[in-house]
């Protein structure tokens, strides 16, 4: 299966789970939030702990075998944070760097920015949201192929 097809599946899965306000499935660990999407022999699972301060992992499987994963850890810095704005930014994940959101997304007083080094096979990055000139959210992430 081509990387392009896998990225297309990953973006679709993100849009149908957390970013798209999709339903949670039964938690895999105590107090975890789990979301998943499947299509054919591909499976996507996003599982995270916490809320205002959180850590989690997104992963992909083909025919029951894991082949890609991304870990993330972040926090809300201010009560001015808007979770719906974050989800809206994440809905716009670009196919060139489908890890979180676009390099920049602005709506009203909020600005989302995402910085990524690497490619689909091995990457690290950081995202943040500002309301006007105040940082209200930040998250670091990294991942790549699992062999």
């Amino acid at each position: 299966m081509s990387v392009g097809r896998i990225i297309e599946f990953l973006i679709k899965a993100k849009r149908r789970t957390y970013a798209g306000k999709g339903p949670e499935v039964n938690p895999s660990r105590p107090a975890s939030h789990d979301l998943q999407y499947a299509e054919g022999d591909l499976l996507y699972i996003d599982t995270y702990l916490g809320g205002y301060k959180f850590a989690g992992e997104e992963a992909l499987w083909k025919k029951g075998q894991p082949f890609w994963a991304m870990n993330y850890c972040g926090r809300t810095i201010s009560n001015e944070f808007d979770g719906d704005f974050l989800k809206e930014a994440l809905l716009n994940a670009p196919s060139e760097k489908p890890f979180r959101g676009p390099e920049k997304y602005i709506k009203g007083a909020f600005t989302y920015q995402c910085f990524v080094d690497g490619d689909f096979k091995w990457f690290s990055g950081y995202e943040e949201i500002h309301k006007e000139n105040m940082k209200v959210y930040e998250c670091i992430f990294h991942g790549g192929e699992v062999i």
Side-chain angles (χ1 to χ4, degrees):
M1 181 173 290
S2 74
V3 172
R5 167 70 181 104
I6 292 166
I7 290 172
E8 180 182 300
F9 170 77
L10 176 61
I11 290 172
K12 184 185 288 186
K14 288 173 175 278
R15 289 179 178 164
R16 297 208 175 153
T17 55
Y18 180 78
K21 301 179 183 178
E24 291 189 14
V25 297
N26 289 331
S28 58
R29 298 170 290 173
S32 71
H33 303 271
D34 291 40
L35 302 108
Q36 66 178 282
Y37 177 76
E39 188 176 281
D41 59 2
L42 294 174
L43 173 65
Y44 164 89
I45 298 176
D46 178 8
T47 183
Y48 66 95
L49 304 170
Y52 294 106
K53 294 182 179 179
F54 59 89
E57 178 181 69
E58 295 178 29
L60 296 174
W61 286 258
K62 182 176 180 183
K63 296 182 180 176
Q65 294 299 312
F67 67 90
W68 183 89
M70 176 181 72
N71 298 111
Y72 56 88
C73 185
R75 65 185 180 147
T76 299
I77 300 168
S78 165
N79 288 336
E80 298 293 316
F81 170 73
D82 181 342
D84 287 337
F85 173 76
L86 171 61
K87 289 178 181 182
E88 190 174 314
L90 297 178
L91 285 172
N92 292 285
S95 59
E96 328 62 81
K97 295 180 180 180
F99 317 115
R100 298 291 289 169
E103 285 185 23
K104 193 169 203 176
Y105 183 78
I106 300 171
K107 183 175 182 184
F110 290 96
T111 300
Y112 169 94
Q113 290 184 280
C114 186
F115 310 93
V116 178
D117 288 322
D119 60 23
F120 192 72
K121 294 181 178 184
W122 187 259
F123 62 90
S124 62
Y126 172 78
E127 68 183 0
E128 62 187 17
I129 295 175
H130 286 82
K131 181 176 183 188
E132 297 168 347
N133 293 324
M134 178 177 59
K135 187 190 303 185
V136 298
Y137 164 88
E138 63 186 355
C139 177
I140 57 172
F141 55 91
H142 63 262
E145 286 183 320
V146 175
I147 298 174

